[in-house]
Amino acid sequence: MRRLIEKGLMFGNLVAVDSPALVERYNRALERLTGKRTALSDFHIDLSGYSPEVGDELGDHLYLNPNGMNRQFILLTTEQKEAPLLNAKFSTSRGILVRYIAENEEQLFSLTARDAVAGELENTIFKLSTPGQLLDLRQVTVRADTAGQAVKGAKKMQGLIHRFRTEYDAWYDDALIGEMIDLAKSTGDITRNPIRLSEKAYDQGNFWTAHFGGIYLFPKVDFPAAISVGPKEGLGRMPIAYTFDLGDRNQVAKFLDLNDLAEPVVHARGADAAAILRQKMDFILVDFAARAGIDHGAGTRAELRLIANTLAAQLPEEFHGLAAMLRWAEAGGTWPRITSDHPSYFYTLRAKAGPDRDLVNMLLAELSPLDIRQTFICHKELFYRLYSGWSEAKQDYVATFLAAEYQMDRVGTREALFGPEPDMGDHLPDLVARVGPWGAVRAKPARKDRR
């Protein structure tokens, strides 16, 4: 992993905590949440305030995420919203926390100027015992206060002020006045500088979880399903219409199609399909060369094309399927018949625009793991796991490629590959009855004419 760290591809964009004041604020919040403190004089934190260095020191990398269920967070600055979220157990956690910071940015900016803000992404489950419980996760409520509980103190002060203004003879209540004076030492003048943080519930929606080996849950689509990374039999009976695993390629493809979640890259509006397909083919060639012990040099297009010309008959079906699609995209001719059974099928797709775009692209990364760029962008946990098992030559190629081709323009690359960023709104369409593809009655949103 050293190459990735050096090139900013792992633990990149973390926020430095490198002053005694910030360390002390962090410790106050950490002690409030966990009862622990760090002896480190400097370290780095992610979006949630988790620090890999503190995790090593404590011997617990889930010190802010007990049981992986109700993620706690420590905010020292609103700049954390630009940092990654490490050790994520739910795909929705980062989006919820970023939205919370954005919606409370003015107050958080003011509060973090004096103290750390500590909070939790709360749901109603504290420990999972069965996969079916995951479908009970319908909302996540964000609650937060400063380490010194300034928000709680401000609410109490508001009550005291109300009593002082409305109760008879409050001017002569020395105990009430004394309590207000003592509390004002920590809250300040809340009549001029109100202290408040919204407590808000966010819809969990469709999501991925790392629990039980990895599961993609789509309860809020036309035809709901759970898609397990491991064998579906290990999940037992799930309280959802259909349960698949990654080996059920036909069913997963049909699920994506019926829910209108994915589209062929060659039909994607604004995408340079030929360039995308060629790059996917290069990644497949690098993997083939690494497995076969073939020197691919620096992995330039010319060097990889020489391997393709020399060993065409030995190349995997993923390569040949994409090559057929590329011939159609560049020169026209017969549309290649690539069914969901073909190893290249999911390499030819990308998610359609919408609130589930990133989740679907994450699922497609699971189904097309040789596309190292999509895997790195959409599913870093999977990328790091795969990277650790690659040859030295492939590790070097991948790290160099990502540093040169992705790190230089992250936003532009993501938009070129996947289209504009999805709307973060949580609007759900009205539902009307529809007969499902497997014979069950399911809900379907009314659609407008798409012509």
Side-chain angles (χ1 to χ4, degrees):
M1 301 295 182
R2 174 183 52 79
R3 288 187 188 87
L4 298 180
I5 295 173
E6 290 175 349
K7 294 180 182 295
L9 299 169
M10 188 175 188
F11 302 144
N13 211 30
L14 297 181
V15 176
V17 181
D18 53 6
S19 73
L22 287 178
V23 172
E24 178 54 30
R25 289 178 194 171
Y26 186 87
N27 266 327
R28 291 181 64 200
L30 182 61
E31 190 167 22
R32 180 188 159 200
L33 292 175
T34 70
K36 302 174 183 177
R37 293 177 66 89
T38 176
L40 299 177
S41 59
D42 61 272
F43 47 91
H44 298 80
I45 57 174
D46 73 351
L47 168 65
S48 72
Y50 158 75
S51 167
E53 297 103 318
V54 174
D56 285 339
E57 178 196 23
L58 299 177
D60 178 12
H61 286 280
L62 292 179
Y63 69 93
L64 286 181
N65 196 11
N67 295 317
M69 287 304 302
N70 295 272
R71 185 140 191 168
Q72 298 170 315
F73 60 87
I74 298 172
L75 299 178
L76 297 179
T77 169
T78 55
E79 292 178 6
Q80 285 173 238
K81 69 180 180 180
E82 305 296 333
L85 182 66
L86 306 179
N87 294 336
K89 297 298 182 183
F90 292 93
S91 61
T92 49
S93 296
R94 186 177 194 281
I96 289 173
L97 195 45
V98 168
R99 285 178 63 182
Y100 180 78
I101 294 173
E103 291 167 1
N104 294 275
E105 190 153 10
E106 185 176 342
Q107 279 292 316
L108 288 170
F109 182 83
S110 176
L111 290 171
T112 54
R114 295 170 290 172
D115 199 357
V117 171
E120 184 173 332
L121 307 184
E122 294 184 1
N123 58 60
T124 56
I125 298 176
F126 294 90
K127 186 176 181 180
L128 286 172
S129 56
T130 65
Q133 288 180 285
L134 289 163
L135 289 159
D136 292 329
L137 301 177
R138 298 175 184 179
Q139 284 190 332
V140 175
T141 302
V142 183
R143 293 186 173 90
D145 200 344
T146 65
Q149 297 189 305
V151 176
K152 181 179 179 181
K155 289 180 180 179
K156 184 178 180 180
M157 178 64 88
Q158 287 172 346
L160 295 177
I161 292 173
H162 179 73
R163 284 180 56 193
F164 183 77
R165 288 174 172 173
T166 59
E167 288 185 5
Y168 180 71
D169 283 346
W171 279 93
Y172 306 103
D173 189 337
D174 292 339
L176 174 60
I177 294 172
E179 187 176 5
M180 291 173 64
I181 292 172
D182 287 340
L183 194 55
K185 294 176 183 177
S186 60
T187 65
D189 184 354
I190 65 169
T191 60
R192 294 185 179 181
N193 302 294
I195 298 175
R196 65 175 68 91
L197 281 175
S198 67
E199 182 180 296
K200 185 173 180 181
Y202 296 88
D203 185 12
Q204 178 77 344
N206 303 313
F207 63 96
W208 164 87
T209 177
H211 292 282
F212 303 105
I215 310 173
Y216 293 82
L217 290 142
F218 292 88
K220 296 188 175 182
V221 292
D222 296 359
F223 309 109
I227 302 173
S228 174
V229 174
K232 59 180 179 286
E233 292 76 15
L235 301 184
R237 187 173 181 82
M238 294 285 288
I240 197 168
Y242 304 99
T243 303
F244 310 125
D245 60 39
L246 298 186
D248 295 322
R249 294 176 62 87
N250 293 334
Q251 292 90 331
V252 172
K254 190 174 185 179
F255 164 81
L256 294 172
D257 180 54
L258 288 167
N259 287 298
D260 201 27
L261 293 174
E263 63 185 349
V265 172
V266 293
H267 292 161
R269 184 176 180 180
D272 186 346
I276 294 172
L277 293 172
R278 283 188 182 280
Q279 192 60 71
K280 290 174 184 278
M281 292 166 65
D282 285 353
F283 296 148
I284 293 170
L285 286 171
V286 168
D287 182 76
F288 171 77
R291 292 178 184 275
I294 299 170
D295 182 11
H296 56 66
T300 64
R301 182 67 49 82
E303 289 169 317
L304 295 176
R305 187 171 179 81
L306 179 60
I307 293 174
N309 288 333
T310 305
L311 301 170
Q314 302 175 41
L315 295 177
E317 287 302 309
E318 290 92 336
F319 181 88
H320 292 300
L322 291 178
M325 187 69 74
L326 178 63
R327 287 194 296 273
W328 178 88
E330 288 190 327
T334 305
W335 171 257
R337 293 184 57 82
I338 299 176
T339 66
S340 55
D341 288 326
H342 197 282
S344 69
Y345 177 77
F346 291 106
Y347 288 85
T348 69
L349 301 181
R350 80 174 193 181
K352 281 195 171 182
D356 292 318
R357 186 199 70 168
D358 290 348
L359 178 63
V360 173
N361 278 330
M362 188 178 184
L363 172 61
L364 290 173
E366 296 263 20
L367 293 159
S368 53
L370 297 181
D371 185 349
I372 55 97
R373 179 170 56 182
Q374 175 154 340
T375 305
F376 178 77
I377 295 172
C378 302
H379 199 338
K380 284 188 172 55
E381 290 82 1
L382 175 62
F383 174 85
Y384 295 138
R385 187 165 68 249
L386 294 174
Y387 180 92
S388 64
W390 292 337
S391 68
E392 189 87 2
K394 183 174 179 180
Q395 287 183 349
D396 185 61
Y397 168 82
V398 170
T400 301
F401 172 85
L402 291 174
E405 301 293 330
Y406 175 63
Q407 292 290 78
M408 297 298 291
D409 184 10
R410 300 182 187 186
V411 175
T413 300
R414 289 179 66 93
E415 185 163 335
L417 292 173
F418 310 123
E421 289 297 312
D423 182 4
M424 292 187 70
D426 53 5
H427 170 72
L428 292 175
D430 296 329
L431 299 177
V432 296
R434 177 180 177 181
V435 177
W438 296 279
V441 175
R442 289 288 164 255
K444 172 180 170 51
R447 298 186 186 277
K448 296 180 180 179
D449 190 343
R450 293 184 181 176
R451 290 177 297 175

